[in-house]
Amino acid sequence: MIQFLLKRLIGLIFVVIGVTFITFTMGYFAPDDPIKQLLGQHYTQEAYLQLKHAYRLDLPFFQQYYNFLIGLFHLDFGYSFQSKGRPVWDILKDGIPVSIELGIWALVVQLALGIPLGIYSALKARTWIDTTNMLVMLIIYALPSFVLATFAQVALVYLDTSIPGLNWPVSNWGTPWQYSWPDIQYKLVPILIYGAAGFAYYARLARTSMLEVLSQDYIRTARAKGLLERAITLRHAFRNALIPLVTVVSVSLGFLVSGAFFIEHVFNIPGIAETTLSSVGASDYPVIQATTVVLAITVVLGNLVSDLLYTVVDPRIKSE
C-alpha cells in the first residue's frame, strides 16, 4: 500500500507541475498587459518599467516560471495586480476554508440522501414509487443551481415578511466551521441548494448501478440458495453497486470548490468565487493562477482518494 501511494503521489506531483506550466504560460502570453491596466491614466514609461521590475515581470519566461514554482512550496503565489501589491495568498486564505466547507457539506447531503433514495428506487423498480422518485429527481437535476438559489432567496424573503420574528438570513455566511444556531441559519440553505442538483444525480446513478447489479447471475444464485433479500441487497449487491459511484465521487471531490462559484455569488458568500471572477475581469493573473493551482490540487487529491476507495470497495484491486 505504501509503495502504491508513493507511485501515485509522484505521478500526481507531475500532474500539478503540468497544470502550473500551462496556467503560467497562458498568463504570460495573454494579450492584456496588467501593468498598463494597473497604471491607468497615470501611465508613464518610467513608472511602467519600475512597476514591471517590482513584479519581476522583466525576467525571462523560464526564470519567472522557476520563481513561480519555488514560491508554490512556500504558499507564495506572488502579488496581486488588482490589489496593488497585496500577496495573493493573503487574498485567498480567508475564502478557501469557506468554499471547502460549503463544498464538503453539500457533498455529504448529496451522498446521504441521493444514494439511499436511488437504491430504494431500484428495489422498487417499475412501481409508482420508482416513477415518482425519478421524475422529481429529473426535475431537480434539470434546474440550474443559480435558479434554485434565486427561488430559495425569494422564498426566504416571503417567509421573513409573513412570519413575524423569523428573520432568516438570505445571504452571507457564518463563521467558518462554527455551528451555533446563527451560523447554521446562514449555512443551511446554501448547502441544501448546492447539494440539490448533485443529490438528484447521485440518486439516478445509484438506481442505474443497483439495477445493473441486481440483474447479475450471482444475485440470482444467491436468491436460489434461499438467502434473505436484505442480506443479498447489503452484502452482495450494494457493495458492487458502489464501484461506479466511487469514480463519480472522486471527480466531485475535485470540483467541489469550483462548483460552488454560482452559489457563492448568489448568496454573497465570502469564498474564493467573487475574488476569482473579479480577477478574470481585471486580468489579475497571479490570483487566477493561484486559484487554478488550488483547484488542480483538489482534483488530484480527489483522484487519489478514488484510488484508495477502490481498494476498499473491490478487493480484487488489492491483488492486482
Side-chain angles (χ1 to χ4, degrees), residues 53-251:
H53 178 72
Y55 280 102
R56 296 184 294 181
L57 296 178
D58 54 347
L59 297 175
F61 170 79
F62 285 105
Q63 182 64 46
Q64 290 188 42
Y65 179 63
Y66 174 78
N67 294 337
F68 178 71
L69 287 180
I70 295 299
L72 289 182
F73 290 100
H74 301 89
L75 292 179
D76 180 9
F77 294 95
Y79 296 91
S80 168
F81 300 142
Q82 186 180 13
S83 299
K84 298 181 179 180
R86 185 181 176 190
V88 172
W89 180 246
D90 188 47
I91 297 174
L92 297 179
K93 68 178 181 180
D94 294 330
I96 289 177
V98 173
S99 297
I100 291 177
E101 183 183 17
L102 172 60
I104 288 178
W105 280 113
L107 182 63
V108 170
V109 170
Q110 294 169 9
L111 299 180
L113 298 180
I115 293 178
L117 183 60
I119 291 175
Y120 182 70
S121 292
L123 297 176
K124 300 292 183 179
R126 290 173 291 278
T127 65
W128 69 269
I129 297 176
D130 177 38
T131 303
T132 303
N133 284 342
M134 289 303 101
L135 177 61
V136 173
M137 294 304 102
L138 181 60
I139 293 173
I140 295 176
Y141 183 65
L143 289 174
S145 58
F146 59 86
V147 174
L148 292 174
T150 304
F151 284 158
Q153 284 189 321
V154 172
L156 286 176
V157 171
Y158 175 77
L159 291 174
D160 284 341
T161 56
S162 301
I163 303 176
L166 180 60
N167 296 325
W168 195 282
V170 297
S171 65
N172 217 319
W173 191 257
T175 305
W177 305 103
Q178 298 293 325
Y179 301 103
S180 63
W181 177 241
D183 291 314
I184 293 175
Q185 286 183 302
Y186 279 110
K187 299 175 182 180
L188 183 60
V189 175
I191 289 173
L192 291 177
I193 295 300
Y194 186 28
F199 148 68
Y201 175 75
Y202 280 114
R204 293 177 60 82
L205 181 62
R207 176 186 180 274
T208 303
S209 180
M210 193 67 174
L211 284 176
E212 183 178 354
V213 172
L214 290 174
S215 65
Q216 298 297 316
D217 291 337
Y218 66 87
I219 298 295
R220 287 193 289 266
T221 302
R223 286 172 175 160
K225 289 181 178 179
L227 292 179
L228 295 175
E229 191 66 26
R230 178 179 297 180
I232 294 173
T233 301
L234 295 179
R235 295 176 55 186
H236 298 279
F238 178 67
R239 188 168 185 176
N240 288 318
L242 285 178
I243 295 176
L245 291 171
V246 167
T247 303
V248 177
V249 170
S250 67
V251 176

Side-chain angles (χ1 to χ4, degrees), residues 2 11 22 26 35 52 62 108 114 141 170 219 222 264 281 305 315:
I2 295 177
I22 294 173
M26 293 177 65
I35 302 300
K52 194 169 186 177
F62 285 105
V108 170
Y141 183 65
V170 297
I219 298 295
E264 291 182 13
V305 171

